[in-house]
Amino acid sequence: MEKGKDDITSKRVTLAEAPSFARTLLIMKSIILAYAQTLILASLFVLLLTSCSPILANLSTDPQPIKSYIFVTANPQPTATPFQPVRITPTQLPTLTAYSTSTQVPTNTPIPTQTEPIPPTDIPSVTPPAAPTSPPPAAVERPQYSISLLFDYAGHAATVSETVIYPNRSGEALSTINLAVNSNLWSGVFALQTISINDQTWGNYSLTGQWLTINLDMPLQPGQAIKIGVGYQLTLPYSSAKFENFGYTARQTNLIDWYPFVPPYKNGQWLLPDPYPYGENLVYEKADFRINLTFADPANQPVVAASAPSTLENGNLVYKLNNARNFTISASSDYLVSSADANGVTIYNYYFPSDANAAAMVLELTRMSVNTYSTEFGNYPHTTLTVCETDLNDGLETDGLYFLASSFYRAYDGSVTNNLSTIAVHETAHQWWYGAIANNQATEPWLDEALATYSEHVFYEDNYPSLLNWWWNFRIYSHSPSGAVDSRLYDTGTFRGYVNAVYFDGAIFLQSLRDRIGDDAFFAFLRDYFTRSNGRIVTADDFFAILDLHTSTDISDLTNKFFLYR
Ligand SMILES: [Zn+2]
């Protein structure tokens, strides 16, 4: 249901109307900062009531969570200035032509589109992707992923044949192509079998940590496209450490960032920030996905949730999702599923049988959130949104699918004043701030996290306005937030400090900005920011440049107060 702007505006409260002790906290921020490290260390032992990173509770309870990662510093092209990326001025793309290797494929010959199956070693053959058979790479406007996944659910393993048609839209000749291999951050999980370039077996590559670097024998020119084949096996990790959602538990397998993908290439560098245990670090270009899923044991298939609905083709589950950041799969033999409609967007809700009542609330809040954010910010970019109850901590967003912790379902009290509700609303907001509009999650995480957190405020404001003071106290001020809103993922040292600065001080900054420029300018800005940035990877410079179009009010004191790098 849409709400009129006047109705919404009449319900809004300003920070000045927030509880007086909260304002006092803001004033005392400088004092709190002096004791921030002490507070942060102490608060590591307090349950974190937040979202989008699954690990805080385990920092104190799991003695070896960080050992799940193989930390790497193997950025082959490290460069500085992650805070000065390009603005979002659209660039005219040249007509794409096919990339050719110097040895095998004649120049200007369209890249063959037939995919060779990757011979498996210990489980049955993978059915080669049925598509694409056309169009040729010259017509490709964004990366095309065609992935054939043979999933051994009971054996916690997979054999994968992946094809990427990658267009070079960087404006530079690329002598190397890098792929992000998140699954290679675990020992013994990612087993690379074959690499091919334009269907020719390719041996000139290296795999170090999350970097798969393919060296070309002639540069990929701007406007050209290249076909990259990757064959590999996954031996999935057990997620007992609750450190990452990737892997399996006793009743669930989550395939998140499970396939190598080409990260964005901007200003001469590949945007593949180092991993960090306190949060998400990856940056995603929009791409098109086609996933062909088969099971090693077809008679015992689990229920599969995914970023897009499936169709059945020749006995295989086929998923197609265009213009998305990534593609996620969650499977469980225990899943039940319900659905709802949000003005044409179908919400699929996967949950475990013992949590049916809480799941019903999750479905309803997600439906309401999609309606609220579509009205306030802009249309949801896909036709479906999937929610998955997960054994792991907190919440986690991916494009078209988000996870929500079982612990929230079990603690559900029948109200909307709890973590189940706030985090469901928060994760839904990430479909706008993360999915539709992306950012460098490592260097400017506030661009998605502060906006997703403040979107919780917008949701309660529009749907439960009497609960706004509760929201501020429960969600924000109870944590005594402090720290620079534009802290990088690596700056704060603890997850508590990271969340307090980026999420919670970020929400206070956005409220302060709104109070300063007024409701009309603030929401006009948010809608314009969404419209102009939809599909792009934005920076703080973009955020403030678009803001400048909607207000001439001086906010320099706010940026000085809340930001470190402005
Ligand atoms: Zn978040």
Side-chain angles (χ1 to χ4, degrees):
M1 183 181 70
E2 293 190 1
K3 286 179 174 292
K5 187 68 169 70
D6 291 340
D7 293 338
I8 296 168
T9 303
S10 67
K11 296 171 182 172
R12 287 178 179 133
V13 298
T14 66
L15 186 60
E17 295 167 331
S20 59
F21 81 91
R23 300 174 61 205
T24 304
L25 280 177
L26 288 174
I27 295 170
M28 295 177 63
K29 183 175 169 183
S30 61
I31 300 173
I32 293 172
L33 278 172
Y35 296 97
Q37 285 192 318
T38 302
L39 291 173
I40 287 166
L41 287 172
S43 61
L44 270 176
F45 297 95
V46 180
L47 175 66
L48 177 67
L49 302 181
T50 186
S51 63
C52 297
S53 188
I55 43 82
L56 180 73
N58 300 286
L59 293 179
S60 58
T61 59
D62 189 314
Q64 297 179 323
I66 294 178
K67 292 183 180 177
S68 301
Y69 264 126
I70 304 168
F71 284 99
V72 294
T73 56
N75 183 340
Q77 298 167 310
T79 55
T81 67
F83 295 94
Q84 303 297 331
V86 293
R87 290 178 181 270
I88 57 170
T89 304
T91 55
Q92 187 68 38
L93 289 175
T95 300
L96 297 172
T97 58
Y99 169 87
S100 302
T101 64
S102 62
T103 55
Q104 302 290 346
V105 183
T107 301
N108 296 326
T109 299
I111 298 169
T113 55
Q114 182 65 41
T115 302
E116 295 295 331
I118 303 302
T121 58
D122 59 3
I123 50 180
S125 295
V126 178
T127 302
T133 56
S134 64
V140 171
E141 296 183 357
R142 52 182 173 265
Q144 312 281 308
Y145 291 84
S146 183
I147 304 176
S148 189
L149 168 64
L150 177 61
F151 189 8
D152 182 357
Y153 180 75
H156 312 299
T159 298
V160 188
S161 175
E162 173 178 340
T163 298
V164 187
I165 297 176
Y166 175 75
N168 180 6
R169 306 196 307 167
S170 69
E172 301 177 30
L174 301 175
S175 58
T176 62
I177 303 292
N178 279 290
L179 284 83
V181 190
N182 191 65
S183 60
N184 200 46
L185 295 173
W186 284 259
S187 294
V189 169
F190 180 81
L192 180 61
Q193 295 178 317
T194 60
I195 296 284
S196 66
I197 295 296
N198 294 340
D199 292 319
Q200 306 301 316
T201 300
W202 202 257
N204 191 1
Y205 65 85
S206 63
L207 175 63
T208 305
Q210 63 179 345
W211 290 83
L212 172 56
T213 302
I214 299 173
N215 302 302
L216 305 177
D217 59 359
M218 57 181 294
L220 182 70
Q221 298 297 327
Q224 290 184 327
I226 193 171
K227 182 179 180 182
I228 304 166
V230 188
Y232 53 97
Q233 288 194 305
L234 297 173
T235 303
L236 298 171
Y238 181 55
S239 299
S240 63
K242 298 183 179 180
F243 178 67
E244 276 271 1
N245 287 50
F246 174 65
Y248 70 94
T249 68
R251 59 178 179 175
Q252 184 181 55
T253 296
N254 297 321
L255 300 180
I256 305 166
D257 296 320
W258 53 280
Y259 53 86
F261 70 93
V262 183
Y265 183 85
K266 303 286 185 186
N267 290 357
Q269 65 174 324
W270 296 91
L271 296 184
L272 180 51
D274 286 346
Y276 200 61
Y278 300 140
E280 303 91 352
N281 64 292
L282 296 173
V283 190
Y284 306 97
E285 199 171 3
K286 284 272 193 178
D288 295 342
F289 296 89
R290 178 189 172 91
I291 313 294
N292 190 323
L293 173 60
T294 56
F295 288 92
D297 183 5
N300 294 289
Q301 294 183 11
V303 177
V304 180
S307 301
S310 65
T311 57
L312 197 60
E313 296 184 12
N314 300 319
N316 301 329
L317 293 172
V318 175
Y319 300 87
K320 298 175 184 175
L321 183 63
N322 290 340
N323 230 358
R325 302 293 174 187
N326 42 44
F327 195 95
T328 299
I329 292 172
S330 178
S332 172
S333 296
D334 295 334
Y335 268 153
L336 298 177
V337 61
S338 58
S339 65
D341 175 78
N343 286 334
V345 177
T346 303
I347 314 297
Y348 292 106
N349 180 43
Y350 292 81
Y351 60 97
F352 297 118
S354 60
D355 298 321
N357 288 338
M361 177 58 83
V362 169
L363 178 62
E364 175 60 7
L365 290 172
T366 303
R367 186 193 67 80
M368 294 169 65
S369 300
V370 169
N371 286 339
T372 294
Y373 300 147
S374 294
T375 300
E376 295 286 10
F377 308 143
N379 289 334
Y380 177 74
H382 304 302
T383 59
T384 67
L385 173 60
T386 295
V387 187
C388 293
E389 182 178 356
T390 181
D391 286 326
L392 307 174
N393 284 347
D394 299 322
L396 180 71
E397 73 277 17
T398 68
D399 204 349
L401 184 151
Y402 79 81
F403 293 94
L404 196 59
S406 270
S407 58
F408 295 153
Y409 289 69
R410 291 193 295 272
Y412 175 59
D413 59 4
S415 77
V416 294
T417 53
N418 47 47
N419 288 305
L420 183 84
S421 303
T422 58
I423 307 304
V425 168
H426 178 106
E427 303 304 341
T428 303
H430 273 304
Q431 298 303 314
W432 281 257
W433 322 120
Y434 163 96
I437 301 175
N439 56 287
N440 190 325
Q441 294 188 98
T443 58
E444 294 186 314
W446 75 274
L447 285 169
D448 61 294
E449 294 300 355
L451 279 161
T453 303
Y454 193 75
S455 296
E456 299 172 37
H457 182 288
V458 173
F459 172 83
Y460 279 91
E461 182 175 4
D462 283 10
N463 296 283
Y464 303 99
S466 65
L467 296 178
L468 272 182
N469 281 348
W470 166 83
W471 182 85
W472 277 111
N473 290 323
F474 174 80
R475 190 72 171 122
I476 306 294
Y477 295 127
S478 64
H479 299 288
S480 302
S482 65
V485 170
D486 55 348
S487 297
R488 303 183 315 157
L489 193 56
Y490 318 101
D491 286 346
T492 53
T494 67
F495 189 53
R496 174 80 275 160
Y498 165 68
V499 170
N500 277 356
V502 172
Y503 292 54
F504 298 153
D505 242 14
I508 294 172
F509 161 71
L510 289 170
Q511 181 66 58
S512 302
L513 173 64
R514 174 178 169 180
D515 291 343
R516 178 68 58 85
I517 69 175
D519 280 3
D520 288 346
F522 181 78
F523 282 92
F525 156 65
L526 283 183
R527 283 189 288 272
D528 192 28
Y529 173 64
F530 179 80
T531 300
R532 291 173 183 265
S533 308
N534 195 354
R536 301 187 178 279
I537 299 170
V538 297
T539 68
D541 288 345
D542 299 321
F543 179 95
F544 286 103
I546 296 172
L547 176 63
D548 285 346
L549 301 176
H550 293 273
T551 182
S552 57
T553 303
D554 181 13
I555 61 165
S556 58
D557 59 320
L558 296 180
T559 53
N560 289 338
K561 175 182 178 182
F562 286 99
F563 286 75
L564 182 62
Y565 298 104
R566 298 200 73 81

